[in-house]
């Protein structure tokens, strides 16, 4: 017998758009994109850290798909100027018939300083001005001039490209920047049960500047692994959570809101170089609030519960780096809309 609660959950799940991130080390982006479209995913998102350009990769995906919305998740606000970001997004939108989302974040101090050779100065202000100015360049406003604390530009034509701009924001200052400027929010490593509370900062700030919070799309990352061996799936997400909590202070703080002792234990072990102890310090309670892991039926139920949250407009499936290929394939298959 189907219970009313299950029926309601299933109905919500069946209406929920679902996105998937291309695994960072996947060899064939076009093949992955084609598969995602066959499995009825609504959107395909490309991460970018090092080694592969997100915009070029999505351009390749655009040549082999017709219905997928394509997005960056994320490109960082230090590695390109707002003009460069806008130009790249507009060019991609031409190729993808306008079905593009531009996800921007501040990344981490390690990436910005040690890879890009830039000072990691005032990330919230950088995010605010990058999103705001990029949107101005993408608009149909005519000539763009802008005077900010970070950027100062004068009298260049806008690009008239319909590309919503999303912000990846963890801390309250970055969330306030999101509320003031962004079309969407990409939360990662904020416990699912705290998404409403975290979004309220965005909503309050949006209202203060005359924006409608309901118009801001919420698309949380959902780290996930599916395997017939549930312990294999759990190992994959444990490694993912340990990496982020251990290597990024913003991620540690976000997780510590719900799991202060466990987050500190993970971070201390990771920063001491003891990766195995860091993974072991990720508790079952953390996994339940930050990821999806288990057998196909169990993982689908977990994913459905995240998708059914009122705050969520579109969950984004994220497969942890280093996940064995058979688990990657099973995760993409079993959590696909086509399996609903």
């Amino acid at each position: 017998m189907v219970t009313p609660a299950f029926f309601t959950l299933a109905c919500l799940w069946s209406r929920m758009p679902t996105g998937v991130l291309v695994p960072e080390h996947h060899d064939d982006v076009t093949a992955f994109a084609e598969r995602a479209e066959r499995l009825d995913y609504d959107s395909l998102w490309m991460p970018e850290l090092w080694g592969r350009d997100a915009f070029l990769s999505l351009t390749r995906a655009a040549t082999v798909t017709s219905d997928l919305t394509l997005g960056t998740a994320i490109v960082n606000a230090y590695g390109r100027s707002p003009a460069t970001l806008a130009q790249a997004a507009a060019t991609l939108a031409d190729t993808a018939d306008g079905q593009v989302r531009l996800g921007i974040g501040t990344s981490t101090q390690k990436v910005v300083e040690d890879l890009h050779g830039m000072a990691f100065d005032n990330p919230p202000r950088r995010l605010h001005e990058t999103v705001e100015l990029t949107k101005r360049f993408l608009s149909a406003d005519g000539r763009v001039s802008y005077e900010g604390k970070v950027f100062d530009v004068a009298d260049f034509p806008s690009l008239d490209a319909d590309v919503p701009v999303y912000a990846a924001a963890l801390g309250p200052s970055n969330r306030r920047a999101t509320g003031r400027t962004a079309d969407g929010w990409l939360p990662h490593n904020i416990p699912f049960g705290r998404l409403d509370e975290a979004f309220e900062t965005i909503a309050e700030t949006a209202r203060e500047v005359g924006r409608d919070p309901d118009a801001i799309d919420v698309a949380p990352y959902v780290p996930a692994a599916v395997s017939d061996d549930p312990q294999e799936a759990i190992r994959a997400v444990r490694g993912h959570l340990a990496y982020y909590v251990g290597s990024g202070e913003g991620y540690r703080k976000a997780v510590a809101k719900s799991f202060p002792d466990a987050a500190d234990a993970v971070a201390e072990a990771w920063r001491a170089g003891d990766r195995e102890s860091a993974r072991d310090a990720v508790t079952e309670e953390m996994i339940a609030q930050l990821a999806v892991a288990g057998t196909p039926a169990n993982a689908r139920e977990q994913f459905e519960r995240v998708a059914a949250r009122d705050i969520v407009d579109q969950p984004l499936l994220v497969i942890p780096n280093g996940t064995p290929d058979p688990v990657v394939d099973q995760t993409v298959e079993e959590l696909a809309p086509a399996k609903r």
Side-chain angles (χ1 to χ4, degrees):
M1 178 179 178
V2 177
T3 66
F6 181 84
F7 180 78
T8 300
L9 186 63
C11 290
L12 285 169
W13 170 240
S14 66
R15 294 195 302 269
M16 178 63 64
T18 304
V20 59
L21 269 68
V22 178
E24 285 195 25
H25 300 295
H26 199 281
D27 292 333
D28 192 338
V29 173
T30 55
F32 190 89
E34 289 176 311
R35 185 183 184 196
E37 188 164 61
R38 285 197 305 271
L39 290 170
D40 292 337
Y41 283 97
D42 299 274
S43 59
L44 180 80
W45 301 73
M46 193 73 202
E48 183 184 87
L49 177 58
W50 178 234
R52 187 163 60 184
D53 182 277
F55 293 105
L56 290 176
S57 297
L58 289 172
T59 299
R60 292 176 60 201
T63 65
V64 297
T65 61
S66 57
D67 295 326
L68 281 176
T69 294
L70 304 176
T72 59
I74 59 165
V75 291
N76 85 68
Y78 291 85
R80 296 177 179 88
S81 71
T84 306
L85 286 167
Q87 183 172 245
T91 304
L92 176 61
D94 284 342
T95 305
D97 294 327
Q99 300 179 109
V100 171
R101 304 289 183 267
L102 176 60
I104 301 172
T106 56
S107 191
T108 65
Q109 184 173 0
K110 169 71 176 174
V111 170
V112 172
E113 294 186 349
D114 293 349
L115 177 59
H116 291 281
M118 301 177 69
F120 194 56
D121 289 339
N122 199 350
R125 189 66 204 172
R126 182 86 182 200
L127 181 66
H128 177 118
E129 293 193 19
T130 297
V131 173
E132 187 172 57
L133 181 52
T134 300
K135 288 179 64 176
R136 292 280 302 279
F137 277 130
L138 287 167
S139 73
D141 289 347
R143 312 296 294 189
V144 176
S145 296
Y146 184 91
E147 292 183 14
K149 296 180 179 179
V150 180
F151 300 108
D152 191 351
V153 303
D155 195 29
F156 266 77
S158 61
L159 299 172
D160 192 10
D162 184 14
V163 179
V165 180
Y166 288 47
L170 287 174
S173 295
N174 277 336
R175 280 183 274 128
R176 283 191 288 271
T178 300
R180 292 187 188 101
T181 63
D183 301 304
W185 179 40
L186 298 168
H188 182 200
N189 269 13
I190 293 177
F192 303 136
R194 298 185 71 95
L195 285 172
D196 291 85
E197 175 188 336
F199 183 75
E200 190 52 36
T201 302
I202 295 172
E204 288 176 359
T205 309
R207 286 189 287 265
E208 288 171 2
V209 296
R211 304 184 70 215
D212 179 5
D214 291 337
I216 299 173
D217 194 48
V218 178
Y221 285 31
V222 184
V226 179
S227 174
D228 294 324
D229 175 2
Q231 292 307 311
E232 183 177 39
I234 290 169
R235 280 195 299 273
V237 299
R238 269 207 167 100
H240 176 93
L241 297 176
Y243 166 76
Y244 278 98
V245 173
S247 61
E249 180 61 11
Y251 294 112
R252 186 201 65 77
K253 288 180 178 179
V255 173
K257 287 280 188 181
S258 295
F259 308 102
D261 295 338
D264 287 346
V266 171
E268 288 170 10
W270 187 273
R271 293 166 188 174
D274 189 349
R275 304 296 194 248
E276 190 63 32
S277 292
R279 286 188 285 269
D280 289 343
V282 175
T283 65
E284 292 181 3
E285 291 78 13
M286 289 173 68
I287 293 171
Q289 278 293 310
L290 293 161
V292 164
T295 60
N298 186 257
R300 277 197 297 271
E301 181 179 352
Q302 295 172 47
F303 195 86
E304 288 164 8
R305 292 190 183 282
V306 177
R309 290 182 174 275
D310 289 341
I311 190 66
V312 175
D313 293 303
Q314 178 177 191
L316 304 184
L317 173 63
V318 179
I319 300 172
N321 285 343
T323 300
D325 287 344
V327 178
V328 172
D329 292 340
Q330 191 169 13
T331 304
V332 173
E333 186 80 25
E334 295 294 345
L335 298 182
K339 297 287 286 192
R340 303 205 282 265

